[in-house]
Every structure is written in structure tokens, then in C-alpha cells.
Amino acid sequence: LSLSLSCLLVLGGVRQTTQPLAMMLKDLFTELTVQWILGLTVIYSTSNYVFKKSGPFKTKPGVAAHQLCALFCILYCAYYGATLWFFGGMIEVEDRLYQNIGPAEKLIKINLAFQTFDFVTTFLDKQMHQRSIMLAHHFVAGSCAFLSVYHATYLHYYMVFYTGCSEISTVPLVFVDLFKYFPKVGEKVPTFDLICKALFAILFIVFRVVLWPIVTFSYYKESFYSVMDGTAHSVPVVMYFITFGFALTLLQQYWGIKVLKAIGAILFPSKEDGAAGNKKGN
């Protein structure tokens, strides 16, 4: 209940209205973002309760429940976003900053629900890894999604890539992280674990390290032009996106370096690693 209320306050509390309470609640609960937040809350609460009872996730039921919800959302956003980006006629969009794209708006609202839910669960569960970085990431990503659909019709074209297409690399990461939290589970499926790690590394480099900066450069160019020629709907909002977009881009490159180092360690093991491996084998 507290999780549901927290999520609702994030979205519903920012809207000022003179409507009667019943009408306001009706509008609130028919909003796609709120529906997804509530749905994720139900899935999280139910799976958390089940995982607590028995099974391999009993030690960290909240973490396992979080990963389940993340997998559901990320799969949906990745498929929906990739379909739009590659096969949805996005290349025909004329105004990439302000054109209203219905399917993109739906995707952004769903991603906002996920970022809100993820922020709250990560904040509440101290067993989550890299909490500070992930909280900052979810806040920035969520606030950008909010400004893109609830503050103004802004950046629908580019947000298809950021909130959908780029999430393709996150699908295998859900399993990689799951096996980090529950190593005994990963040990039972070593081949699947290895496949997930390989897929994550490849997809992350393609979508986050290579394509992300290219898309961001295009967005930056158009955004700076809109500010200079006076067509920007809100200079503070545009600068907010530019500033934190740059921060997120740096974060992708930082993670990309870590991924490349991990690949390098596997392909070109150091003498110490080789000696340790031989010693372990003996």
C-alpha cells in the first residue's frame, strides 16, 4: 500500500486541478502511467510474498521480485521501442523535437511508470547493488520521461530510442544481475548465464556505446538550433535535457568501458589470472 501511494504521489501530486475529487481520481486511475505503476506494484507484492515462502530466492525475495518486474517492463519497452524505431516509420518524422507520436507517447508513459517504480523499490531495498547510481539514473530518466509527455509534447522521436530501443541491451542484464544476487541459481544454468553475459556485452556496445552517442548528437544539434532561433518551448527544460542527457551519455560510456575491460579480461587473461586458474585446477 505504501509503495502504491508513493508512486501515485509522484505522478498525481504534481497535477493541480479544480475538479471534484471523484473526477480527479477517475482521471488519475485511467492514466496509463498510473495503471502500470499499480500493476507493477501488484506483481511485486505478490511475487515478493511467494518468494519469501520457499525456493531459491528466499534469502532476497524483494530483489527477486524487483528483477521479475524489471524483466516484464524491459521486455515490453525493448520490443515496442525497437519495433517503432526500426519498422515504425520513424524515419519519416519531420519534426523530431515536437511532433506528437501516439505510439511513442504510450511507450514513454510506460517507461515513466517503470522508472518511478524502480526508483521507489531501489530506495526501499538496501540489498540492491549500486543503489546511489541507480537512484540517480532512475530519477533523471523518469523526470525526462515526465517532461516529455506531461509537461509538453516534447522529444517523442528521440525518446523512442532512449526509453525503448536502448533497453534491448538491458534484457540479458536482468538475468546477469539476478545470477549475481543468487549465484547458486546461476551455477545451475552456467551455459545460460554465459549466453546472457555475452549477449549483454554485445548489445550494450551496439546500442549504448555506439548508437546512443550518435542519436544524442543529432538531438543536441536540433536542440541547440531550437534555442538559438527561439523555437524552443522552454529553454530551461531543453537545457535540463541537454545537461542530464550528457550525464547519461557519460554513464553509458563509463559502463561501456567496464564491459570492454571485462571482455578483455576473458579474452586476454593476465598471468596472475592464469596462475590462479592453474592452481585451482590442480
Side-chain angles (χ1 to χ4, degrees):
L1 178 61
S2 62
L3 178 58
S4 300
L5 291 174
S6 299
C7 294
L8 288 172
L9 286 172
V10 170
L11 181 62
V14 296
R15 289 189 165 187
Q16 295 182 353
T17 178
T18 57
Q19 295 183 85
L21 179 60
M23 289 296 295
M24 184 180 70
L25 290 176
K26 180 182 177 181
D27 290 344
L28 186 63
F29 283 101
T30 55
E31 182 58 50
L32 182 63
T33 300
V34 175
Q35 291 175 346
W36 270 74
I37 290 175
L38 291 175
L40 288 171
T41 302
V42 171
I43 295 173
Y44 177 86
S45 302
T46 304
S47 56
N48 185 36
Y49 175 79
V50 172
F51 293 150
K52 275 183 181 179
K53 295 297 181 180
S54 62
F57 306 126
K58 188 177 181 180
T59 55
K60 299 176 182 176
V63 172
H66 170 270
Q67 293 301 102
L68 177 63
C69 292
L71 178 63
F72 177 73
C73 263
I74 290 168
L75 271 173
Y76 187 92
C77 289
Y79 173 78
Y80 197 77
T83 302
L84 273 178
W85 187 258
F86 293 112
F87 311 108
M90 298 298 290
I91 195 172
E92 299 175 3
V93 174
E94 295 181 1
D95 187 347
R96 296 183 176 185
L97 293 183
Y98 294 107
Q99 185 167 327
N100 189 343
I101 305 172
E105 181 178 357
K106 176 182 177 181
L107 173 64
I108 298 166
K109 287 183 176 181
I110 293 172
N111 191 269
L112 171 59
F114 172 61
Q115 298 297 341
T116 304
F117 169 83
D118 216 350
F119 180 90
V120 175
T121 52
T122 302
F123 178 79
L124 294 177
D125 195 338
K126 295 183 179 180
Q127 292 181 309
M128 301 292 291
H129 295 165
Q130 296 183 319
R131 288 178 70 240
S132 298
I133 294 178
M134 296 314 299
L135 284 172
H137 173 272
H138 295 323
F139 175 80
V140 172
S143 61
C144 287
F146 177 86
L147 291 171
S148 181
V149 290
Y150 289 106
H151 175 262
T153 299
Y154 179 56
L155 224 64
H156 284 190
Y157 171 85
Y158 289 105
M159 291 295 277
V160 169
F161 177 82
Y162 293 128
T163 63
C165 196
S166 67
E167 295 288 10
I168 292 175
S169 65
T170 316
V171 175
L173 179 62
V174 173
F175 293 101
V176 173
D177 285 342
L178 182 69
F179 297 146
K180 285 183 180 179
Y181 287 116
F182 304 96
K184 291 184 179 179
V185 176
E187 290 171 2
K188 293 180 180 179
V189 286
T191 303
F192 181 66
D193 184 21
L194 184 61
I195 291 173
C196 287
K197 289 177 179 176
L199 279 175
F200 166 67
I202 294 169
L203 293 173
F204 190 91
I205 291 172
V206 171
F207 286 97
R208 302 276 184 160
V209 177
V210 178
L211 292 180
W212 184 291
I214 294 174
V215 174
T216 301
F217 176 78
S218 175
Y219 157 65
Y220 272 20
K221 183 173 65 174
E222 293 191 46
S223 295
F224 281 121
Y225 282 148
S226 72
V227 171
M228 289 187 292
D229 63 19
T231 59
H233 72 294
S234 170
V235 174
V237 170
V238 173
M239 296 309 298
Y240 181 88
F241 270 83
I242 288 175
T243 301
F244 286 105
F246 181 70
L248 287 176
T249 301
L250 288 181
L251 187 60
Q252 309 309 313
Q253 302 309 308
Y254 167 73
W255 283 334
I257 292 172
K258 294 185 70 174
V259 170
L260 290 173
K261 284 183 177 180
I263 295 174
I266 295 173
L267 297 178
F268 309 102
S270 63
K271 293 181 179 180
E272 291 79 4
D273 293 336
N278 292 332
K279 186 176 181 180
K280 185 177 180 181
N282 294 331

